[in-house]
């Protein structure tokens, strides 16, 4: 169905692009070259140690970065703990499933950076989260890439700011595109970032509607591969313990690769928001392209992550460098 784009929408969109370019202007590679020259190596070593302790570090950190950037920008506001009368972002229902290992990765990397006298309190939690995210992707077999740095940590974190800002597993293509476009991200960026579902897991309640009560005519979502649906029902029986989780990629769950897109071709997308990417003619060609070329997917993922990392970056008086990632200075 065609859409009429008004002048106001065009103006708002161009303003968004100008604004996002302005805020990302201070970001650059090797930002800490003269401040804390070994910061990337320090963070990478801390992340590698954490990954050796638990694989959950990888999807946990990747998801934390995404949830941070989509709410108030990439400013580590999701790291703040609730205190006194303030309920922070992390305690909004949409963030309660964030793995503690993601938070712990950033905290440990921050401690490692601050243990170097010349680096102490010179590197933001937001930048450490950005570097750690790149490192977990590489440690899982995905691409490594140069990260832009220079973000400050945000000065606000409220649960009230989260509502409606994060994608839901039930969303259709139009809803996903609109949500990503609000941050200056294209449909291709959205499909590339969805590819992060090649690692990690989900709790049964996030997709139970697809395997038990999809519609009156079809209790099971007809876009689900029947044998995959049966496998999910076995892993997630009705009234299952809500703590039970299943791998998002049933084939290579511990490797960051392009198998996510091959799964979509086979009806093995776990969420509605995953599987909608394949049958729709607007997105199908992209899915097929990346299913057949891991290099094409890796390039698109790097581009999308770089753009995501520029969202609403805090500068000047709008941020600072936290001494403790979980508390304001």
């Amino acid at each position: 169905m065609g859409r009429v784009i008004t002048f106001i929408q065009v103006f708002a969109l161009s303003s968004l692009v100008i604004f996002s370019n302005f805020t990302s202007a201070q970001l650059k590679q090797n930002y800490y070259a003269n401040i804390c020259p070994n910061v990337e190596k320090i963070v990478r070593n801390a992340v590698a140690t954490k990954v050796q302790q638990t694989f959950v570090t990888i999807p946990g950190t990747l998801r934390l970065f995404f949830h941070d950037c989509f709410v108030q920008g990439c400013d580590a506001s999701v790291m703040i703990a609730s205190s006194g009368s303030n309920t922070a972002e992390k305690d909004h229902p949409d963030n309660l499933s964030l793995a503690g290992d993601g938070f712990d990765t950033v905290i440990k990397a921050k401690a490692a950076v601050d243990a170097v006298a010349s680096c102490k309190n010179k590197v933001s939690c937001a930048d450490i989260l950005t570097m750690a995210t790149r490192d977990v992707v590489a440690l899982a077999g995905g691409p490594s890439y140069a990260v832009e740095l220079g973000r400050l940590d945000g000065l606000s974190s409220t649960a009230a700011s989260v509502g409606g800002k994060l994608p839901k597993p039930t969303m259709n293509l139009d809803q996903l595109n609109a949500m990503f476009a609000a941050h200056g991200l294209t449909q291709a960026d959205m499909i590339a970032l969805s590819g992060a579902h090649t690692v990690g897991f989900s709790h049964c309640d996030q997709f139970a509607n697809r395997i038990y009560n999809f519609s009156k005519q079809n209790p099971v979502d007809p876009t689900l591969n029947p044998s995959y649906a049966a496998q999910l029902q076995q892993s997630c029986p009705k009234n299952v313990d809500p703590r039970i989780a299943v791998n998002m990629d049933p084939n290579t769950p511990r490797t960051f690769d392009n198998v996510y897109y091959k799964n979509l071709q086979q009806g093995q997308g776990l969420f509605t928001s995953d599987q909608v990417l394949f049958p729709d003619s607007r997105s199908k060609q992209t899915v097929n392209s990346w299913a057949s070329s891991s290099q094409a997917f890796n390039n698109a993922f790097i581009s999308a992550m770089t753009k995501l990392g520029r969202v609403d970056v805090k500068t000047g008086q709008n941020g600072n460098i936290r001494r403790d990632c979980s508390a304001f200075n």
Side-chain angles (χ1 to χ4, degrees):
M1 190 167 68
R3 287 188 184 171
V4 177
I5 298 178
T6 65
F7 169 76
I8 293 170
Q9 285 173 302
V10 171
F11 177 76
L13 206 65
S14 56
S15 300
L16 176 75
V17 172
I18 291 164
F19 178 71
S20 91
N21 286 344
F22 174 75
T23 55
S24 66
Q26 72 149 13
L27 295 182
K28 61 179 184 178
Q29 295 173 16
N30 302 315
Y31 177 87
Y32 294 100
N34 300 319
I35 303 166
C36 178
N38 291 324
V39 65
E40 295 197 39
K41 185 177 180 183
I42 297 166
V43 170
R44 192 177 301 117
N45 288 343
V47 172
T49 300
K50 178 72 183 169
V51 168
Q52 285 171 352
Q53 293 165 356
T54 171
F55 179 81
V56 178
T57 300
I58 291 170
T61 305
L62 188 50
R63 193 159 172 249
L64 188 66
F65 178 70
F66 185 88
H67 279 233
D68 182 47
C69 292
F70 255 55
V71 180
Q72 302 196 106
C74 308
D75 63 355
S77 52
V78 74
M79 299 283 303
I80 293 291
S82 297
S83 61
S85 60
N86 181 56
T87 305
E89 273 179 46
K90 67 183 291 188
D91 287 322
H92 184 278
D94 288 352
N95 281 330
L96 292 178
S97 62
L98 288 171
D101 286 298
F103 294 91
D104 193 46
T105 300
V106 179
I107 289 164
K108 284 194 161 68
K110 166 79 167 165
V113 171
D114 284 350
V116 178
S118 60
C119 300
K120 189 173 174 67
N121 298 329
K122 300 279 178 62
V123 183
S124 69
C125 301
D127 276 347
I128 289 174
L129 174 54
T130 304
M131 287 182 268
T133 303
R134 179 267 311 273
D135 295 337
V136 295
V137 168
L139 286 164
S144 189
Y145 50 94
V147 287
E148 297 176 340
L149 302 170
R151 298 163 191 78
L152 292 178
D153 297 322
L155 305 176
S156 166
S157 177
T158 64
S161 65
V162 179
K165 298 284 178 62
L166 294 165
K168 300 279 189 189
T170 52
M171 282 185 168
N172 63 34
L173 189 64
D174 288 330
Q175 292 169 319
L176 290 167
N177 280 338
M179 180 162 276
F180 280 71
H183 297 297
L185 298 165
T186 65
Q187 177 177 281
D189 295 326
M190 179 272 290
I191 299 170
L193 292 169
S194 297
H197 288 173
T198 184
V199 289
F201 52 85
S202 171
H203 294 94
C204 296
D205 63 348
Q206 296 298 301
F207 55 87
N209 65 305
R210 297 189 72 202
I211 55 175
Y212 290 118
N213 55 348
F214 187 71
S215 69
K216 281 184 178 177
Q217 296 78 20
N218 298 295
V220 177
D221 184 342
T223 64
L224 263 179
N225 178 305
S227 61
Y228 182 50
Q231 185 184 323
L232 292 174
Q233 287 174 333
Q234 193 172 6
S235 301
C236 297
K238 286 182 178 178
N239 305 316
V240 67
D241 183 326
R243 292 170 296 184
I244 298 296
V246 300
N247 290 322
M248 298 182 76
D249 177 347
N251 296 302
T252 57
R254 285 176 167 254
T255 306
F256 191 97
D257 53 25
N258 67 331
V259 171
Y260 167 81
Y261 301 102
K262 297 179 183 181
N263 293 340
L264 299 186
Q265 292 173 322
Q266 302 302 320
Q268 293 183 324
L270 186 61
F271 298 149
T272 298
S273 58
D274 293 316
Q275 196 56 51
V276 293
L277 303 179
F278 183 62
D280 196 302
S281 60
R282 293 170 292 170
S283 50
K284 185 170 189 166
Q285 188 177 350
T286 306
V287 171
N288 287 338
S289 170
W290 295 344
S292 64
S293 171
S294 56
Q295 189 60 55
F297 163 55
N298 286 347
N299 291 342
F301 184 77
I302 292 168
S303 172
M305 287 293 280
T306 301
K307 287 170 70 174
L308 177 61
R310 296 170 182 164
V311 171
D312 198 11
V313 168
K314 303 300 184 290
T315 60
Q317 300 301 308
N318 294 322
N320 59 21
I321 292 175
R322 274 184 229 141
R323 290 184 289 274
D324 174 352
C325 291
S326 66
F328 297 120
N329 290 348

